[in-house]
Amino acid sequence: MAARGRGRGRRLMSFSVEAVGISRGESLPPSILQPTPLFPPMEQKPLPLVGGEEVEYMLALKQEFRGAMRSLPFFIQPDAPHTDVERYSDKYHSSEPADSSLDWKPGEAAVAVSLVKVSLTACFAPQTLEKKEEEVSSGEEEGEEKKKQEEEEAEGEEEYDEEEFEEETDYIMSYFDNGEEFAGDSDDNMDEAIY
Amino acid sequence: MTAQEVRLCGLLLQEHFGDVVEKVGTHLLRNGAQHLRAIVQETGTPMDLVKKSLCVLIQHGACAFSSGRKGPGSPVEYQASFERILRILRYPRYIYTAKTLYGDTGELIIEELLQRGHMTMSSTVKTVADRLTLNMEEGHSMEYSEVSNTFSKLVETHFLQRCPPVEVAGKAVSATPDPATTPGAPANNTTPSTPESFADCYKVPHVTLIGRGKRRNSSEDGEDQRNAKRAKEDPETHGDEGIYWQVNFERFHLHFRDQAIISAVANKLDQTSSEIVRTMLRMSEVTTPPIATCTQALSANEIFRSLPPNYNISRPILDQYLTLLVDDPMEFVGKSGDSGGGMYVVNLHRALANLARATLESVVQERFGSRSARIFRLLLRKRHLEQKQVEDFAMIPAKEAKDMLYTLLSENLVQLQEIPKTPDHAPSRTFYLYTVNQLPTARMLLQNCFKTVANLIERRLFETKESKRLLEKSQRIEAILASLQASGAEPEQLTEVEEMITPPEKQQLESLRHHINKLDSAENQVDETIFLLESYIKSTATATR
């Protein structure tokens, strides 16, 4: 069946040649075997941009706005990436000031804090909505208390861990001193010769 | 949500809110409503950063939360709004419009509200007064009452509106005292509550604000610290806690639409006609709902009375102008009756459709040449034409007409419609007609515009990244110069520091600045086209409902 169609007419195409406009004898353009160029040459050049005072002013507004947004607290930086290798002395570095993320209120104007609290309490302790009815007012305080409790627990755990580590290690803490006292001690008695 | 839209929103979020918010935002846009755990897992961002990003998005109105779909017990779901994020492109236009209407004070109020999303009236007034005081001369400062007046005016004309109060949990709860009997009904707050559905949307609260703007000088640092401490310990309440305001974008859009119509009339006809149309639009501002297809009918007598006083045209001339406007093929103004000297309306939907059509035609003209544009206009007017008819009507030789038609067809600006003569659709016995559909073509061009803006932003970021070293160096030198000048250095020191940038580097910096300005300016211009096409599409959608 397929051979019949093939053999009968080589130039039989799915649409009528005359209607679409290709007359006899004209060849179709050669088929393209690669993707179109990334920056094809344009026959018509684009129009120049509109100039004028209004446009300049809006341009300045836009750039100032962008700059201002970078300095507002809404611009969130990702956590600083950790160094490649975990060093042993990382444990003894003073911990960074507790990231006040949970106390964070965007901007000086407090956002509808109920917004945050409602959504956060939903995440912290998925309770059914009926319980929320009773606790919707006290729940906000509970949510805050829970947050504070968690923070305190985290801090307590950190402190506890440090103490534990201090007891467990074989090395004394003063081992990691940077040796200032060594030079200081030698100034006591200058009469003795130093080898 | 098309890929272009998501890409553009991602770039806008990244520029204004940072990478973390961009990640969370694009994830929400791509995947619809999600709850917190899913977002944390799928984006791989720590929980507290995700919470912060959601706070930022909600603060700016780009994200809404609602109770979960699976019933009262399911966690809260968050949904990002792509339209709202796109508005960021239009911020400079909003601020500039506020400046033209309400002066510097209005401009700063709108700018503060756009930067911060939601704000109370008292904090806005204080911040704006401080900023205005900074720019005034020594010894002068801005009164809070003046700023409050401008704020009230903005609210009266609906440019600012109250944020809808947050009641999701409370509402659902108060309706279900007994969840057993009404299982899932109230938890699904499916009807989105617009800010306008609340009664007090445009009511200015009674705020007690007495004072003047503070000027922050370096000499007053100590005093400021003491004041700040006192403010923290004793928070001043002004009687409007919990009432947050946001910018009403729809009202600005109506204003832009009116402006577009007026300038189109001014370009096509003359200044006086545009003044007449401006008067008509001003009179029907409060009576016309935003989605109306035409304004309320106004009689010629009313129009005559409301013309601005410096336009002293006589009554018969006004009638002539109105007749001209009605007969114009653009169909901006229509006549709907004869009482009162003639009842006239402004056809808003028709005007938007014509403006969109002009945009499409101009796009074809600039990309493919004036003869292709002729063919395009022909097809818009005559709807369906055969190949032969196109050649005849457009008066273009057959070969070239064929070429142009195929180019337009390959760009999808023109479609082919088959009309079979026989049931078996035989190609030799079928009509092939070329046609242009305005609405789908407008949608396609709108997507092209989004892609254009995204490309412009990416190119700008690329250029900035390429010359990062140079930019940092110039910033450091500026900082050094500023500190030297503040501490009173000699001119030789200043010139020495300035010479640290070599002339070829200066040239490079200049050309970089020029390129970045051009790209930024281009974004603003493309946004104007986006506004026109979006308004047309929205107006068609509501008109056909």
Side-chain angles (χ1 to χ4, degrees), chain B residues 130-150:
Chain B
D130 288 342
R131 274 180 78 174
L132 283 170
T133 313
L134 269 178
N135 295 337
M136 293 169 88
E137 308 146 1
E138 286 288 335
H140 292 251
S141 63
M142 188 61 146
E143 281 267 0
Y144 284 170
S145 54
E146 257 185 72
V147 183
S148 298
N149 278 345
T150 318

Side-chain angles (χ1 to χ4, degrees), chain A residues 23-44:
Chain A
S23 57
R24 247 181 187 282
E26 252 181 72
S27 56
L28 293 165
S31 51
I32 305 177
L33 297 166
Q34 51 185 329
T36 47
L38 198 53
F39 293 109
M42 289 190 294
E43 304 95 33
Q44 318 271 338

Side-chain angles (χ1 to χ4, degrees), chain B residues 272-284 295-309 311-315 317-323 325-326 332-337 339-346:
Chain B
T272 320
S273 335
S274 78
E275 278 305 316
I276 296 175
V277 176
R278 190 201 300 269
T279 315
M280 288 175 77
L281 285 168
R282 194 164 25 93
M283 285 161 68
S284 35
T295 60
Q296 298 279 9
L298 299 162
S299 70
N301 295 330
E302 283 175 6
I303 301 174
F304 185 62
R305 274 199 298 268
S306 322
L307 277 177
Y311 266 92
N312 44 358
I313 56 176
S314 61
R315 187 56 205 276
I317 301 205
L318 171 70
D319 285 335
Q320 277 183 343
Y321 267 114
L322 283 168
T323 324
L325 279 166
V326 169
F332 285 122
V333 176
K335 190 163 183 183
S336 70
S339 59
M343 302 293 274
Y344 297 93
V345 289
V346 177

Side-chain angles (χ1 to χ4, degrees), chain A residues 14 16 20-21 49-50 54 57 59 62-63 65-66 68 76 110-111 115 119-120 123 129-130 133, chain B residues 16-17 36 51 59 65 78 91 96 99 107 115 173 179 244 366-367 402 406 427 460 517 520 523 525:
Chain A
S14 58
S16 158
V20 192
L49 289 174
V50 176
E54 201 178 300
Y57 192 77
L59 176 66
K62 181 177 180 142
Q63 292 178 333
F65 191 87
R66 251 205 321 262
I76 302 181
V111 79
L115 257 171
S119 48
L120 287 183
C123 310
L129 282 177
E130 59 195 337
E133 172 187 14
Chain B
H16 293 260
F17 299 114
L36 185 62
K51 282 190 204 160
Q59 167 83 352
F65 60 92
Y78 301 92
Y91 282 0
Y96 184 72
K99 185 190 173 79
E107 176 193 4
Q115 274 179 6
V173 158
Y244 293 93
E366 294 308 323
R367 269 169 76 179
K402 200 170 45 180
Y406 291 162
R460 181 161 46 81
N517 284 349
D520 260 331
E523 281 172 43
Q525 271 198 249

Side-chain angles (χ1 to χ4, degrees), chain B residues 490-501:
Chain B
E490 299 152 11
E492 291 99 32
Q493 278 181 314
L494 293 177
T495 43
E496 202 182 297
V497 171
E498 275 173 11
E499 275 167 20
M500 279 165 63
I501 308 188

Side-chain angles (χ1 to χ4, degrees), chain B residues 345-362:
Chain B
V345 289
V346 177
N347 294 321
L348 297 167
H349 172 62
R350 201 86 49 89
L352 279 174
N354 284 333
L355 284 172
R357 183 165 54 85
T359 312
L360 297 182
E361 289 171 7
S362 132

Side-chain angles (χ1 to χ4, degrees), chain B residues 147-216:
Chain B
V147 183
S148 298
N149 278 345
T150 318
F151 195 98
S152 311
K153 272 193 256 177
L154 279 166
V155 174
E156 270 169 28
T157 43
H158 290 4
F159 281 109
L160 295 176
Q161 66 188 178
R162 282 203 204 183
C163 307
V166 180
E167 275 186 47
V168 175
K171 231 192 239 177
V173 158
S174 56
T176 43
D178 189 358
T181 51
T182 52
N188 299 335
N189 210 357
T190 46
T191 51
S193 50
T194 62
E196 308 218 321
S197 50
F198 296 100
D200 293 336
C201 185
Y202 297 113
K203 202 166 79 165
V204 181
H206 180 64
V207 171
T208 53
L209 263 180
I210 307 167
R212 314 182 72 91
K214 292 182 203 25
R215 182 189 301 273
R216 257 167 228 272

Side-chain angles (χ1 to χ4, degrees), chain A residues 3 12-13 29 53 58 60 74-75 79 81 94 99 110 112 117 124-125 140 145 174 176 185 191:
Chain A
L12 206 59
M13 278 170 279
E53 216 183 284
M58 283 211 271
F74 301 119
F75 199 89
D79 289 333
S94 57
D99 189 14
K117 283 180 188 162
F124 268 123
E140 293 172 2
E145 279 177 4
S174 57
F176 293 109
D185 283 348
D191 293 342

